[in-house]
Amino acid sequence: MSSPPLRTLWILGASHLVVFCGALALTRGQPREGGDGESQRSPATKSPNRAARQERGDGEALLAAFRARKSESETAFEEAKRMLRAASDPEQAAMAAFEAFRAAGTDEEKLRAEAVLKARILQWFLGDPEGLMTKIGGWMASDEGGMGVMVTTTLDLAPEVIRQKGSLACVAWASGNASFSVKFWEVVGQEMKSGGGLAHYLKVRSECGRVAEAQGSLIAAEIPGAVRRILGEGFRYEERQRVLEHVLEDPASELSRDLILGFAGSGEAAATWIYDLLDRGELPEAMAKSLRGGIGNDVLMQPHMDIEKRIAARRFTPGNERKTRDAIVGELVSNDIQRLFNQGRDWRFEFRHGVASLEEVLSAVNSQLRIPAEGLVDSRIALYRTLSEEDPVKALPLLEELPEEKRRQVMFRNTWESYGSIHPDEFLRFLNKLPEPATAQEKEDRMKGWEWKARWHLQRYGDDYVEWVAALPEGPDRYAAINSVISATRERNGAKAEELNQRFYSKKP
């Protein structure tokens, strides 16, 4: 009987790989026996942090240890690649390295043996990828014991192999393989951005078709949806007309839509060009209809695009058709500031620790973003919401030019519009910096902050948050916090909520 074709082996192997990875994830996900769960730590032991930087203590130490181990492993791997000469029989050398890895005893021995194993598999992979694929496909199909490390190491090395050999040389084993196709097309996208552009994309597509025909398939492997926009970003602006001609060959397809949206997301000029085509009605309606919503979202990522065109494009998206101009401008400006803070320099951290002043942050915003005059107030409010989480006092000057009523509204609404994934001590400190509420709305906003925080705090800190709330001093904040805890608990556990109600509101005899 002839051996199954390579593609068949990998289809069969994929199901075994899912089982293997799932079992590995379940094993790693089990809590340590006798260990302290996250919900059992007191919130008072946690440093105040935003969601992106919330771990300290044990979590930070574990992360540091992981990074150190990863760095050591990568260094050892790079050294092994430099030192190991190519073996005359790469398969035999890789299997010998695998046996040495299994026999290694100490952590240091394991680290070195793992590095050699990865280097040997890489040599085998580069020299005979189809042979390695067939071998590993057989291992997974037969559930041969102990070979999981060979499978996972091969998967990890695939992107490096594709980059070294070039995507065109890897079409046969990578383009239609469910385990590799996303990484394969990501590399194609990188090659396009490096200068290949549309010509390289078409060449790879053509090779995929040729390989599919040679393997007896009627159609080439489909490009995964996750990477289509990445490919569109690889088209060069100067070839935009040829790109348009290409996608218009199949204007109603999801692939054409995603390629064009990816191209629009590659920069302000491309986004403007696509918007103008839509605005002038120069695209087939089938394509225009599928593009409008995507373009409306993509302009959120183009802060330097003409404001009028951004506003008009935002109206393409469902729900925005009847929004006021002020509302859309505010949304655009706030989004631009959030993206600036989430990319590049960590302004939040620097502002919190006094490394960067408010004036420096404002200077960065003004120099890197295109804030229209009508969006200036919204930009200051968006900045305040972000920076007040780091230092509410130092952020307060951002609201100085607002009318008193508006300034107080922003401050009190901040209790529930900001301070999302933050330590309860930090939230309480912010509340204590607020002026006394003077209106019913201000009182409602202040209390609403506790309600909106309770679910996340209970999920993260568990019973320790309940005890933290119980220790609050008498006053409206304490009772708002208690009520929010009982309400949030009732959604998940009615009996537990009743216990809390009896604890905090027990009737005196």
Side-chain angles (χ1 to χ4, degrees):
M1 181 181 295
S2 61
S3 60
L6 183 61
R7 189 179 298 267
T8 302
L9 278 175
W10 270 99
I11 291 173
L12 178 62
S15 62
H16 291 77
L17 181 61
V18 169
V19 173
F20 170 78
C21 293
L24 182 62
L26 287 172
T27 302
R28 290 176 175 172
Q30 293 296 322
R32 291 176 297 170
E33 188 174 355
D36 292 333
E38 185 62 44
S39 64
Q40 296 176 326
R41 292 197 191 107
S42 168
T45 67
K46 293 287 185 179
S47 298
N49 277 286
R50 301 183 69 261
R53 306 191 306 277
Q54 40 190 29
E55 289 299 341
R56 292 287 187 240
D58 291 348
E60 189 173 64
L62 287 171
L63 180 60
F66 168 78
R67 285 174 173 167
R69 176 66 175 78
K70 188 172 185 291
S71 177
E72 291 175 4
S73 177
E74 290 172 350
T75 300
F77 176 44
E78 292 300 321
E79 182 180 356
K81 285 196 292 184
R82 288 194 305 270
M83 299 298 294
L84 289 176
R85 294 182 179 179
S88 57
D89 188 334
E91 178 181 351
Q92 184 181 45
M95 295 310 300
F98 173 61
E99 293 301 328
F101 172 76
R102 293 210 293 185
T106 67
D107 287 346
E108 184 64 24
E109 290 173 348
K110 281 282 186 186
L111 186 142
R112 300 300 170 190
E114 177 189 45
V116 171
L117 174 60
K118 288 176 66 177
R120 287 304 187 191
I121 293 177
L122 179 61
Q123 290 175 349
W124 183 8
F125 209 160
L126 288 168
D128 184 18
E130 286 84 358
L132 176 58
M133 294 298 99
T134 301
K135 198 74 172 181
I136 290 182
W139 286 333
M140 291 194 301
S142 64
D143 285 332
E144 187 169 335
M147 304 307 295
V149 67
M150 297 291 285
V151 175
T152 55
T153 301
T154 301
L155 293 174
D156 290 343
L157 290 172
E160 180 170 350
V161 172
I162 298 169
R163 283 192 295 269
Q164 285 197 35
K165 295 178 73 67
S167 60
L168 281 168
C170 302
V171 168
W173 60 268
S175 64
N177 186 318
S179 298
F180 299 138
S181 60
V182 169
K183 293 297 182 184
F184 171 81
W185 288 107
E186 284 179 351
V187 174
V188 173
Q190 293 165 6
E191 293 169 339
M192 291 169 64
K193 286 183 178 180
S194 297
L198 175 64
H200 183 65
Y201 169 78
L202 294 176
K203 191 178 295 184
V204 174
R205 290 296 305 276
S206 175
E207 180 64 9
C208 287
R210 187 195 66 77
V211 168
E213 184 178 356
Q215 293 178 346
S217 175
L218 296 178
I219 56 173
E222 184 178 354
I223 299 175
V227 293
R228 292 172 187 164
R229 291 202 184 192
I230 294 175
L231 296 172
E233 292 173 7
F235 296 134
R236 300 192 303 274
Y237 181 69
E238 56 267 27
E239 60 187 7
R240 59 192 179 281
Q241 196 60 46
R242 287 188 291 129
V243 169
L244 181 61
E245 292 169 2
H246 170 69
V247 298
L248 286 180
E249 293 175 5
D250 190 7
S253 73
E254 291 184 3
L255 174 60
S256 291
R257 178 200 65 196
D258 290 344
L259 289 175
I260 283 293
L261 288 176
F263 177 61
S266 65
E268 172 199 350
T272 300
W273 184 66
I274 298 298
Y275 168 78
D276 287 341
L277 290 176
L278 288 169
D279 188 47
R280 295 193 299 263
E282 295 181 13
L283 295 177
E285 183 54 29
M287 172 171 279
K289 184 177 180 180
S290 65
L291 284 178
R292 288 190 184 100
I295 288 292
N297 287 324
D298 281 355
V299 295
L300 288 170
M301 296 176 283
Q302 303 298 337
H304 297 286
M305 188 175 172
D306 177 76
I307 187 64
E308 298 301 330
K309 292 180 179 180
R310 293 183 83 192
I311 293 170
R314 282 301 290 157
R315 294 196 187 281
F316 288 153
T317 58
N320 283 349
E321 304 93 334
R322 288 180 293 276
K323 272 188 181 179
T324 65
R325 178 186 177 89
D326 287 347
I328 293 178
V329 169
E331 176 191 41
L332 290 170
V333 168
S334 298
N335 183 77
D336 291 345
I337 288 174
Q338 288 304 313
R339 291 187 71 249
L340 174 65
F341 273 66
N342 290 331
Q343 298 172 355
R345 188 168 170 179
D346 192 345
W347 289 108
R348 292 186 181 93
F349 179 87
E350 294 188 23
F351 182 76
R352 180 185 191 90
H353 295 281
V355 177
S357 67
L358 182 59
E359 291 70 24
E360 288 176 298
V361 176
L362 280 170
S363 177
V365 169
N366 293 333
S367 64
Q368 297 181 48
L369 298 179
R370 186 176 178 179
I371 306 290
E374 60 188 305
L376 187 60
V377 169
D378 289 306
S379 73
R380 295 299 184 262
I381 293 174
L383 272 174
Y384 172 75
R385 286 178 178 168
T386 296
L387 295 180
S388 68
E389 294 185 353
E390 311 304 333
D391 192 320
V393 175
K394 284 167 55 179
L396 200 54
L398 289 163
L399 305 182
E400 282 180 351
E401 296 183 11
L402 297 183
E404 177 66 9
E405 183 179 351
K406 179 67 174 178
R407 184 177 68 84
R408 291 178 66 94
Q409 179 193 67
V410 171
M411 292 172 67
F412 280 97
R413 287 174 64 93
N414 210 42
T415 63
W416 54 274
E417 289 185 334
S418 299
Y419 283 80
S421 303
I422 205 160
H423 190 277
D425 279 346
E426 197 74 353
F427 177 57
L428 184 61
R429 273 192 282 272
F430 169 70
L431 289 178
N432 289 335
K433 298 293 184 183
L434 291 176
E436 284 296 316
T439 67
Q441 185 61 56
E442 289 178 354
K443 292 176 183 178
E444 180 182 338
D445 282 336
R446 183 178 176 120
M447 299 301 102
K448 192 174 182 178
W450 290 107
E451 180 184 343
W452 284 48
K453 306 293 183 291
R455 293 172 184 81
W456 186 86
H457 285 151
L458 284 170
Q459 180 181 356
R460 179 158 178 76
Y461 303 115
D463 289 340
D464 284 338
Y465 179 62
V466 177
E467 298 307 317
W468 184 90
V469 167
L472 289 172
E474 292 291 328
D477 284 318
R478 182 175 189 270
Y479 291 105
I482 288 172
N483 291 339
S484 69
V485 164
I486 294 173
S487 177
T489 302
R490 185 175 289 116
E491 296 173 1
R492 300 177 291 111
N493 189 330
K496 177 69 171 177
E498 184 57 32
E499 287 180 17
L500 293 173
N501 190 63
Q502 289 296 319
R503 172 182 176 180
F504 290 113
Y505 295 111
S506 59
K507 295 181 180 180
K508 296 181 179 179

